[in-house]
Amino acid sequence: MPTDLQTPFDAAVVMFTKRKGSLAAAVRSVFGQQFEGRVQVVVGVDGPDADREALAGLAREVPDAMALTVVDPGYSTARSRGGLYAPEAGGALRTALTLLANARHVAYLSEVNRYAPHHLAELKRAIGDRAWAHSLRWFTDARTGAVICRDGWESVGPGGGVYAKSEGGFVATDTLLVDKLACHGVLAAWADADAQGRGEDRRFFRAIRGLPHAATDEPSVYAAIRLEKQHPFMLAQFRAHGVVLERLMSLTPELKARIDHAAQAQRAHAENARNTLSAGGVDFAIRRDGEPR
């Protein structure tokens, strides 16, 4: 671990822990980066159930070119755990830790996900003088770590994927590298969410979507999904792209019916989108002869 913490690092990775059991694997995937430069790993401790034991062990494993900075305020900033900020995933920690990190370029990683060894190096090459860059990702089974498939429809970048029309695309948090000086004015978006404590990732994406950006075009994040907790909408989304997750889980007749209903609704929505032309914020239905009406 370097003794010079004042000199800015070439990249920082912001994380937080709120549960026990998975943090060590995530942090070790950062320690294993094939990166020519200095990396600061900044981990926020979010409440009493955080994995402090794992952090104590990880402090003894820090590579020579990396530093582990642990921020433990002794309380959670998340509203769901008694704090003031809406995001269930860390409250205000992503905003605070991004500002605190002693690096201009900041990446993010959930304690349940992992980086491929080349992740930071590829993002650093891609970003150049742009405001942000992103990679693609793999979906993995949270129980086994096995790769399920490549995400080719959700976190694919601005203007693409299933959220292209409704939200202008989407980029998942863990695939991002941001220039925090270029994005400084929107960092507070990480600390805002809906009434259920979700959606801060989409708020942040909307805030940076129009800024100069780049993509590596390669999946280098392993995003864990818990099959038994997937909403029927998401199961139907996988099915629409040729991945039948139901084969990997116990399926009740009720759940099967809900998945079928969600799949039918998604097909109807996609058909409606194909038959609609948007211009100047106004939607026009397309007749069968191809002319708008």
Side-chain angles (χ1 to χ4, degrees), residues 184-219:
H184 188 272
V186 300
L187 294 179
W190 284 130
D192 193 15
D194 62 21
Q196 287 73 46
R198 298 189 293 267
E200 73 283 354
D201 52 350
R202 298 182 186 280
R203 283 172 163 78
F204 187 74
F205 170 71
R206 286 196 294 270
I208 65 172
R209 184 178 59 201
L211 298 176
H213 59 273
T216 68
D217 296 323
E218 293 294 334

Side-chain angles (χ1 to χ4, degrees), residues 267-291:
R267 286 193 295 270
H269 177 77
E271 182 64 24
N272 182 61
R274 283 193 293 270
N275 292 329
T276 302
L277 172 67
S278 296
V282 179
D283 290 343
F284 298 90
I286 305 285
R287 294 202 310 251
R288 291 186 180 274
D289 58 12
E291 293 296 326

Side-chain angles (χ1 to χ4, degrees), residues 15 23 33 38 40-41 51 67 72 86 100 119 140-141 151 155 179 185 193 216 227 232 240 256 258 268 276 283:
M15 308 177 65
L23 176 67
Q33 289 298 292
R38 299 165 69 245
Q40 181 187 23
V41 186
D51 207 340
D72 188 348
L100 181 66
H119 177 72
T140 67
D141 186 335
D151 176 9
S155 177
D179 178 338
T216 68
L227 302 180
K256 182 179 184 303
R258 292 171 65 194
T276 302
D283 290 343

Side-chain angles (χ1 to χ4, degrees), residues 4-213:
D4 177 17
L5 300 180
Q6 185 60 68
T7 300
F9 289 78
D10 297 291
V13 178
V14 161
M15 308 177 65
F16 60 85
T17 171
K18 64 176 185 177
R19 61 172 68 88
K20 293 179 174 65
S22 56
L23 176 67
V27 173
R28 286 175 180 136
S29 78
V30 182
F31 287 171
Q33 289 298 292
Q34 298 167 359
F35 184 81
E36 294 183 4
R38 299 165 69 245
V39 178
Q40 181 187 23
V41 186
V42 187
V43 182
V45 179
D46 185 19
D49 297 325
D51 207 340
R52 292 176 173 84
E53 183 178 343
L55 281 170
L58 290 164
R60 298 187 289 270
E61 302 178 21
V62 184
D64 291 341
M66 296 190 181
L68 176 63
T69 302
V70 177
V71 179
D72 188 348
Y75 56 86
S76 174
T77 61
R79 189 177 299 159
S80 62
R81 290 181 290 286
L84 297 173
Y85 289 89
E88 199 281 331
L93 279 177
R94 281 202 184 102
T95 296
L97 298 180
T98 300
L99 293 170
L100 181 66
N102 192 21
R104 180 167 181 165
H105 288 144
V106 180
Y108 303 90
L109 183 61
S110 164
E111 64 180 328
V112 299
N113 295 339
R114 294 175 290 121
Y115 285 162
H118 59 283
H119 177 72
L120 287 179
E122 292 296 322
L123 281 174
K124 187 75 171 179
R125 276 193 285 270
I127 195 170
D129 59 356
R130 301 172 183 87
W132 60 280
H134 74 96
S135 71
L136 299 176
R137 64 180 179 174
W138 301 101
F139 286 122
T140 67
D141 186 335
R143 299 169 301 179
T144 66
V147 171
I148 297 172
C149 66
R150 174 172 169 157
D151 176 9
W153 62 88
E154 188 175 71
S155 177
V156 296
V162 295
Y163 300 112
K165 186 175 179 63
S166 61
E167 301 185 39
F170 176 63
V171 172
T173 301
D174 289 1
T175 68
L176 282 169
L177 180 71
V178 304
D179 178 338
K180 72 177 185 181
L181 299 185
C183 298
H184 188 272
V186 300
L187 294 179
W190 284 130
D192 193 15
D194 62 21
Q196 287 73 46
R198 298 189 293 267
E200 73 283 354
D201 52 350
R202 298 182 186 280
R203 283 172 163 78
F204 187 74
F205 170 71
R206 286 196 294 270
I208 65 172
R209 184 178 59 201
L211 298 176
H213 59 273

